[in-house]
Amino acid sequence: MLAFISARQAGLDDPLRLRRAESTRRVLSLELNKDRDVERIHGSGVNTLDIEPVEGRYMLSGGSDGVIVLYDLENFSRKPCYTCKAICSVGRSHPDVHKFSVETVQWYPRDTGMFTSSSFDKTLKIWDTNTLQPADVFNFEGTVYSHHMSPVATKHCLIAVGTKSPQVQLCDLKSGSCSQILQGHRQEVLAVAWSPRYEYVLATASADSRVKLWDVRRASGCLITLDQYNGEKSKASSEAANTAHNGRVNGLCFTSDGLHLLTIGTDDRMRLWNSSSGENTLVNYGKVCNESRKGLKFTTSTGCDPEFAFVPYDSTIAVYTIYSGELITILRGHYNTVDCCVFQPNFQELYSGSKDCNILAWVPALREPMPDEDAAKV
């Protein structure tokens, strides 16, 4: 650490190198925080989590009971042991509560005044955070599995929505209507994700084993259909051509720089793709157990070297290096299947939600104190 600081002060090293090294060290030392609890509100499984990107302070959770909870992660007590309190919730008694399981919650990327939620009750709701009232509601013909707003868009306010229909719906916050439909999948769309690099690029994953990249400005829409065999059809049967997985694809996540895309399928495989060329990079992660029949919410780190992927794996969370595929560690603490996790990049913390109704906080272990030479002599 002192060598990093000295080199930085002398101008011999990149100022970001120290930050990357410390961020990486912190992720590698993640452990269950025994001093911090997240208040238990949900009466059934926690399906989805999101931390707002403005301050990194407020967290949303959505549960199988249809309830949405807003937490404050800040420690105002200044005591080592504390509980992250629920500030408010859209509970079962709320007149506008979702009737069925909440599958996705997401903060508006620009400020904390608004958030969105989608549910098996076939609705996408836009919420005013201050009043906890829906500002708008979008209704669909089928179950809603996933939705996502672009984290970088400045020229559009589109929310991509994956439903039981094979068509991807694009809902426009400005007009309050479904402005566009993307056609190409053959079965329900289980996961959607906007690129964090290009505001018009969208990735979608479906039960038809396919993952598609779209430019929503194009008339044809679809840019690439990812092919696990990279076009070498001699290695595959005609049915398997242009499929990303040999099963339902229910997990999508771009790397923080947007240059690569991670996908997870029910074939127990995770794959890494070049998001520009659509090429399968052939990184081998081994067996990534995935028995979920709906969307799987996994996440990646930010500002580390190497970068890491945090993947729900039965009742644990598996931590992989993204570009080498190495399983670094397995985080154990839940008593039932883990359905979602979210990374807090400011402090390199991880939060996970499970069917056991708990939200757990995983934090970097404290540094071991340096031995005091004088004390040792005594």
Side-chain angles (χ1 to χ4, degrees):
M1 179 62 73
L2 290 176
F4 271 120
I5 294 173
S6 300
R8 179 177 171 177
Q9 286 176 338
L12 300 174
D13 214 340
D14 181 350
L16 289 176
R17 191 156 172 254
L18 172 60
R19 176 185 284 186
R20 285 196 203 99
E22 179 60 11
S23 296
T24 305
R25 184 201 69 81
R26 289 170 66 86
V27 169
L28 290 172
S29 66
L30 282 176
E31 63 180 15
L32 183 61
N33 192 336
K34 302 174 183 65
D35 301 321
R36 185 190 314 179
D37 292 321
V38 179
E39 188 176 358
R40 181 168 169 168
I41 303 292
H42 291 283
S44 57
V46 180
N47 293 332
T48 173
L49 297 169
D50 191 41
I51 297 175
E52 47 86 13
V54 181
E55 296 179 74
R57 172 178 169 181
Y58 300 105
M59 181 171 70
L60 287 167
S61 66
S64 299
D65 49 6
V67 171
I68 299 169
V69 185
L70 196 161
Y71 298 92
D72 188 346
L73 303 179
E74 190 80 25
N75 179 13
F76 282 111
S77 71
R78 303 303 174 199
K79 296 177 182 176
C81 298
Y82 71 101
T83 299
C84 298
K85 291 290 185 182
I87 303 174
C88 55
S89 66
V90 181
R92 296 309 308 167
S93 60
H94 193 288
D96 298 299
V97 68
H98 282 290
K99 293 181 176 62
F100 303 124
S101 174
V102 175
E103 290 302 300
T104 311
V105 291
Q106 186 189 3
W107 286 102
Y108 181 62
R110 296 281 179 264
D111 62 59
T112 56
M114 186 169 76
F115 66 88
T116 56
S117 64
S118 59
S119 164
F120 277 179
D121 65 8
K122 305 178 183 179
T123 64
L124 164 69
K125 296 188 178 184
I126 317 301
W127 298 87
D128 182 319
T129 309
N130 298 311
T131 63
L132 277 193
Q133 299 297 319
D136 207 347
V137 178
F138 295 89
N139 293 284
F140 303 92
E141 293 182 2
T143 301
V144 181
Y145 289 105
S146 176
H147 79 270
H148 193 230
M149 280 182 289
S150 170
V152 295
T154 57
K155 297 175 183 176
H156 71 76
C157 292
L158 298 174
I159 304 178
V161 185
T163 69
K164 202 169 184 66
S165 162
Q167 299 172 332
V168 181
Q169 316 268 347
L170 297 182
C171 299
D172 193 339
L173 283 180
K174 288 182 179 177
S175 67
S177 63
C178 183
S179 64
Q180 199 173 343
I181 291 173
L182 304 177
Q183 301 194 42
H185 285 296
R186 299 175 185 175
Q187 295 182 44
E188 62 254 50
V189 178
L190 299 174
V192 295
W194 290 96
S195 165
R197 192 177 188 90
Y198 304 109
E199 64 176 293
Y200 292 106
V201 174
L202 174 71
T204 60
S206 168
D208 64 8
S209 304
R210 288 171 170 80
V211 174
K212 291 179 178 288
L213 291 175
W214 313 78
D215 183 333
V216 298
R217 296 169 298 181
R218 290 166 53 120
S220 60
C222 186
L223 289 172
I224 310 168
T225 300
L226 302 184
D227 179 11
Q228 61 183 305
Y229 300 101
N230 287 333
E232 297 180 31
K233 294 182 181 178
S234 59
K235 294 183 181 178
S237 65
S238 58
E239 291 82 11
N242 271 41
T243 56
H245 289 264
N246 297 321
R248 297 157 62 90
V249 191
N250 59 352
L252 279 180
C253 188
F254 279 96
T255 54
S256 58
D257 58 11
L259 295 176
H260 291 86
L261 175 69
L262 281 162
T263 63
I264 291 180
T266 54
D267 56 358
D268 293 339
R269 289 288 179 264
M270 180 162 70
R271 294 198 166 95
L272 180 71
W273 310 82
N274 182 309
S275 59
S276 295
S277 66
E279 180 185 8
N280 180 2
T281 62
L282 304 177
V283 174
N284 182 11
Y285 299 94
K287 182 179 179 180
V288 180
C289 186
N290 173 17
E291 297 178 354
S292 175
R293 300 301 297 168
K294 52 185 183 178
L296 187 71
K297 308 291 194 301
F298 69 107
T299 190
T300 60
S301 64
T302 303
C304 298
D305 185 17
E307 296 288 3
F308 303 93
F310 307 95
V311 183
Y313 194 113
D314 289 335
S315 61
T316 68
I317 300 139
V319 183
Y320 297 90
T321 53
I322 291 178
Y323 300 109
S324 66
E326 183 182 356
L327 177 60
I328 295 295
T329 187
I330 292 180
L331 303 176
R332 293 180 171 87
H334 283 288
Y335 298 107
N336 207 329
T337 305
V338 178
D339 283 323
C340 58
C341 53
V342 63
F343 186 67
Q344 210 284 24
N346 297 349
F347 302 107
Q348 291 78 45
E349 296 171 346
L350 186 74
Y351 293 84
S352 58
S354 164
K355 283 187 172 65
D356 63 13
C357 309
N358 291 319
I359 299 172
L360 298 184
W362 308 86
V363 299
L366 294 174
R367 283 184 175 273
E368 290 293 323
M370 296 295 289
D372 189 328
E373 292 183 6
D374 294 332
K377 290 176 183 174
V378 174

